[in-house]
């Protein structure tokens, strides 16, 4: 059987009790390490599990999955995913392939928390979130503003918007690609909440429709679910200057339909509580 | 410290490794049992944890939380929540009270999966879900159609809609309330996906705007995250006749913006695959 096992968000102890049992007895264990990262290194996981873990990069999963699926119809193979296994297309694709293999490979998914639910730690109600969006690293030549239209759809209904921040793991630089050396990888890059806020302000400057401007309220989070979790609320202007430290960061644009109780909870995280409350009372909380 | 610990969705082994460590060492352990239920009884949990667990009903949590918070500034108190702790307001309220208590009580949330992410097991991409809605049990006198407007907002953008189904645990019947006997509780009721589909069809019949009619595609799920997980796809008409067995059920109205890959994955769960594909090609997949 192929098990897709969610590891949760922080460290080796966020795996479920059942997940750990399976990891210990499986023939092979893979760790998917390109859609997100755990806050601990692979060797810490191996030490805790008492066994070796094979790193699976995007190429292996998307173009070479036979290695992962080999013998899974008669052995247990565990495929570990940071966060939750069903949050990204790359994983459902693997399940589809297992399902349609000959012979068919039985599969089971052990869900775990994802940033998409753990973001409730901000006090913002999950029911009030619209679609989730992704912010990519801008380059000199490429500053896509399509994210603005997605956020705008949420804003039209007063919903919160969870912004997932770009991570680049094992990517070749543009220069090395151009020089025909795609195997030279850049060091991993994880977008900070401050850079995300900056890029949102840039896009607002281009589009000017009052969607994500300097006075819009937002919440930045880092290392959610861990002991070093950090939550900071404020205007996008303020958040573009705050350093939340080590990865992983996310950001939520607060929706205008926000409730009084959400505000009460979030305000405690504000850089400037008085200012936060003034802006809220002025622009937010319209049901 | 007050720990809010997510138990995940199925049974005693869905708790995280860290969560189990805390449960074993805590002075007191409460189990919140009114926003959702685990698929195993309390005694199974107690047997697995090797300790007693106190059932916390809505009254205790919302009106009598001092008992839960007592001494939590100097002892470890664990508050267990089925699914994820940050998915419902009743829990963030408890955290607020701990935070503002005198002396202040330190808190930590251990997130876990919630139906809101585990619903990815259907193959529908979480990024494409709009706001989550709740379907209540209709009565002869009360058939609220406000849910229609919420779904309509999602439909306008082609998003999927996760419908959470009503559960009634420890509720007094209308009759007993009227007779001044609010302590006589009805047996627990968990809405089935079939009843939800039926009620959605009823509401469509009233409002007639083509939001959730007989030919709209949907996915019904039961016991997500467990070995007995069941997923069935089809039209709302079809789903109103299918019995998915024991609780807990949920339903997703598929959005018109659905991707080809989502359809490929979901179609395997369809009651009538050919019909599902015909309707999809005709009405869905419009980016």
């Amino acid at each position: 059987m192929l098990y897709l096992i969610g590891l949760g968000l922080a460290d080796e102890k966020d795996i479920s009790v059942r997940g750990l049992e399976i990891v210990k007895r499986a023939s092979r264990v893979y760790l998917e390490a390109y859609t997100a990262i755990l806050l601990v290194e692979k060797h810490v996981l191996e030490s805790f599990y008492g066994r070796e873990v094979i790193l699976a990069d995007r190429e292996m999963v998307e173009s070479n999955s036979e290695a992962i699926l080999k013998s899974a119809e008669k052995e247990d193979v565990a495929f570990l995913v940071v966060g939750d296994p069903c949050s990204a297309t790359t994983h459902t694709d693997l399940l589809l392939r297992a399902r349609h293999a000959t012979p068919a490979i039985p599969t089971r998914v052990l869900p775990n928390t994802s940033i998409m639910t753990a973001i409730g730690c901000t006090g913002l109600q999950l029911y009030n979130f619209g679609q989730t969006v992704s912010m990519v690293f801008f380059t000199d030549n490429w500053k896509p503003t399509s994210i603005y239209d997605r956020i705008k759809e949420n804003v039209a209904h007063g919903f919160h918007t969870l912004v997932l921040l770009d991570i680049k793991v094992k990517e070749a630089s543009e220069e090395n690609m151009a020089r025909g050396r795609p195997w030279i990888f850049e060091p991993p890059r994880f977008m900070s909440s401050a850079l995300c806020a900056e890029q949102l302000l840039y896009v607002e400057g281009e589009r000017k429709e009052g969607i994500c401007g300097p006075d819009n309220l937002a919440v930045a989070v880092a290392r959610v679910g861990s002991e070093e979790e950090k939550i900071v609320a404020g205007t996008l202007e303020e958040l573009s200057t705050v350093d939340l430290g080590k990865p992983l960061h996310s950001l939520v644009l607060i929706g205008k339909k926000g409730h009084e109780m959400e505000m009460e909870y979030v305000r405690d995280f504000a850089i400037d509580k008085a200012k936060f409350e003034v802006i809220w009372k002025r622009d937010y909380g319209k049901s």
Side-chain angles (χ1 to χ4, degrees), chain A residues 2 4 30-35 54-69 79-81 88-95 97:
Chain A
L2 171 69
L4 261 64
Y30 295 89
L31 171 65
E32 186 268 84
Y34 56 90
T35 62
I54 307 160
L55 264 185
D57 60 16
R58 189 185 288 276
E59 211 207 318
M60 179 191 276
V61 178
E62 298 190 349
S63 315
N64 198 19
S65 57
E66 309 81 44
I68 299 170
L69 301 180
F79 185 83
L80 311 181
V81 177
T89 50
T90 184
H91 310 132
T92 30
D93 190 59
L94 186 64
L95 286 169
R97 265 180 264 162

Side-chain angles (χ1 to χ4, degrees), chain A residues 165 192-199 220 239-243 249 251:
Chain A
L165 311 193
S192 68
S193 51
L195 178 57
C196 175
E198 219 181 281
Q199 294 193 175
L239 294 177
S240 69
T241 66
V242 173
D243 179 6
H249 296 188
L251 188 135

Side-chain angles (χ1 to χ4, degrees), chain A residues 79 248 260:
Chain A
F79 185 83
L248 292 168
E260 188 67 29

